[in-house]
Amino acid sequence: MKKFIFLTFIFFTKIVLAEGYDVFGIGLYDVKFDESQTNEAFDFRYERRFDTSLLEIGPENYNFFHLKPFVGFETTSDSALYFLTGIYLEDNIGTLFTGESTNSIFTPSFGVGIYDDGNGAKLGNTIEFRTTLEVSYQLNNKNRIGFSFGHISNANIGDINPGVEIISLSYQVAYWLDLNFYRLSFYKI
């Protein structure tokens, strides 16, 4: 009987497995502000951000210090390809500055991954690091529109380290993965 009650509870329960954002971005790759030589291309980015804390630093009631994971890839119109994983932080800009929540979100991130330059910028190594600063606006449906500035480089572990800057716009779709268990019928034959 205990097993039956346990199985019934599991099959009738809705379990939420994950929450976060799917980030779809488009931007300019290898943007230079000092008028140096550039190999500009269009940048297309996808990330899956998980709203699960890997490490909580600081006070429990302040969400900014929760390190959360992401995975993703970028590709350019010059056939460069970058697969990465990393961590991000997230904070409400209003809470950060005035203590009152707003729809503006600040999201810095750091990632590491495998880079293939294709016909694009030669970054000097297969292992590359990316840092990004992003500001986004949360819509009523919890989706977001964002603007970000990122930098990819090999941190001087390669023969050369030119690095690239990326400016992009993104649309971020809130997701939740839930698993609905359906009732199993046990028939006596």
Side-chain angles (χ1 to χ4, degrees), residues 9-162:
F9 176 75
I10 288 177
F11 287 109
F12 282 106
T13 304
K14 184 176 187 178
I15 300 173
V16 177
L17 297 176
E19 292 181 2
Y21 283 90
D22 285 324
V23 180
F24 302 91
I26 185 168
L28 290 177
Y29 180 85
D30 201 14
V31 175
K32 300 289 186 204
F33 298 107
D34 61 0
E35 299 181 20
S36 61
Q37 185 176 6
T38 184
N39 188 17
E40 284 187 5
F42 285 105
D43 180 73
F44 307 96
R45 171 174 58 116
Y46 169 78
E47 286 177 15
R48 172 151 277 200
R49 294 182 185 162
F50 301 96
D51 192 26
T52 303
S53 293
L54 296 175
L55 180 63
E56 297 175 9
I57 304 168
E60 286 183 28
N61 61 348
Y62 195 61
N63 194 31
F64 181 71
F65 296 104
H66 294 204
L67 297 176
K68 301 173 184 179
F70 75 88
V71 295
F73 70 90
E74 289 188 50
T75 187
T76 70
S77 56
D78 285 338
S79 302
L81 189 59
Y82 184 44
F83 292 95
L84 75 156
T85 186
I87 56 173
Y88 73 98
L89 302 170
E90 195 170 64
D91 198 11
N92 186 292
I93 293 176
T95 305
L96 185 64
F97 290 110
T98 66
E100 294 184 25
S101 184
T102 65
N103 287 5
S104 299
I105 309 295
F106 174 61
T107 309
S109 65
F110 172 78
V112 61
I114 306 297
Y115 177 80
D116 178 22
D117 52 32
N119 298 323
K122 310 298 182 213
L123 297 185
N125 203 358
T126 303
I127 307 254
E128 297 288 335
F129 302 91
R130 187 187 79 187
T131 52
T132 305
L133 298 175
E134 177 182 270
V135 175
S136 58
Y137 181 81
Q138 186 165 306
L139 306 171
N140 290 338
N141 63 0
K142 296 208 184 262
N143 292 349
R144 298 176 182 170
I145 297 171
F147 175 79
S148 63
F149 176 77
H151 175 75
I152 298 176
S153 75
N154 64 38
N156 289 324
I157 61 173
D159 296 333
I160 60 171
N161 186 26

